Amino acid sequence: MEHEAHAHHGHEGHQGHAGHTGHEDHSGHADHQSHTDHAGHHAPGGAVSWSMAAQATLHCLTGCAIGEILGMIIGTAFGWGNMPTMVLAIVLAFFFGYALTLRGILAAGVDFRTAFKVALAADTLSIAVMEIIDNGVIALWPGAMDAHLDEPLFWIVLAISLGIAFVLTTPVNKWMIGRGKGHAVVHQYHH
């Protein structure tokens, strides 16, 4: 029934649109195209560039690297074993990853509770994937777990593991942003 009414409306031509006065001039929608383009950039199904995904990953990588290095320095300074040091490094990686995101969202004037929820939604999967890869490489690399901060092996393996984590986490972030998740959630607070 509704289809027939719609079909009948289509045969009326321009006379059927007489009731739509005020819509001939679309100047009130001047920014509609730019809004549509912008929304498609981050909306589910929208085209997400590898550059955007890499930037989101680099953001997480920075927090992870700060946390991991600090955790390893603290663990080494206190003479802890490999496992407690690794746990501390992972906890601090999450802390600094979230902290960097929080800083940007809070600067946009968002309240802490909302900002915290956004940071959790934006970064949890990205940081988790990065930490699994990064720590997995370090754990599997011969001698890396026993290398000390003053040994080149420690820094070389850390750099390689973070590089591998970056490369493998970037597609995850691209996928998430393309579905309106991850750093797509954060992006709305930067405008």
Side-chain angles (χ1 to χ4, degrees), residues 10-184:
H11 291 303
E12 292 176 340
H14 290 288
Q15 294 171 352
H17 291 287
H20 294 287
T21 57
H23 289 290
E24 299 86 12
D25 177 19
H26 291 282
S27 62
H29 301 288
D31 68 329
H32 177 72
Q33 185 60 41
S34 64
H35 176 71
T36 302
D37 292 345
H38 179 75
H41 193 58
H42 302 287
V48 177
S49 70
W50 281 103
S51 173
M52 181 188 304
Q55 288 174 355
T57 307
L58 188 59
H59 182 269
C60 287
L61 183 72
T62 302
C64 288
I66 292 169
E68 286 202 22
I69 292 169
L70 187 58
M72 290 178 196
I73 290 171
I74 292 170
T76 301
F78 285 113
W80 294 353
N82 288 340
M83 195 52 67
T85 299
M86 185 180 276
V87 168
L88 177 63
I90 291 169
V91 168
L92 290 177
F94 273 91
F95 174 80
F96 282 100
Y98 291 140
L100 289 179
T101 299
L102 273 172
R103 184 187 64 158
I105 299 169
L106 291 171
V110 178
D111 65 281
F112 182 82
R113 184 182 175 111
T114 301
F116 186 72
K117 288 179 182 177
V118 169
L120 288 178
D123 290 338
T124 301
L125 181 60
S126 181
I127 295 171
V129 169
M130 195 166 290
E131 286 302 299
I132 289 167
I133 295 166
D134 174 40
N135 286 290
V137 169
I138 292 171
L140 295 174
W141 196 289
M145 290 293 288
D146 296 321
H148 295 280
L149 296 172
D150 59 350
E151 296 176 31
L153 178 64
F154 171 83
W155 296 103
I156 291 169
V157 174
L158 180 62
I160 291 170
S161 69
L162 289 172
I164 293 170
F166 175 81
V167 169
L168 296 179
T169 306
T170 298
V172 173
N173 280 327
K174 186 176 188 303
W175 178 81
M176 288 175 57
I177 293 168
R179 278 143 191 80
K181 300 179 188 300
H183 275 259

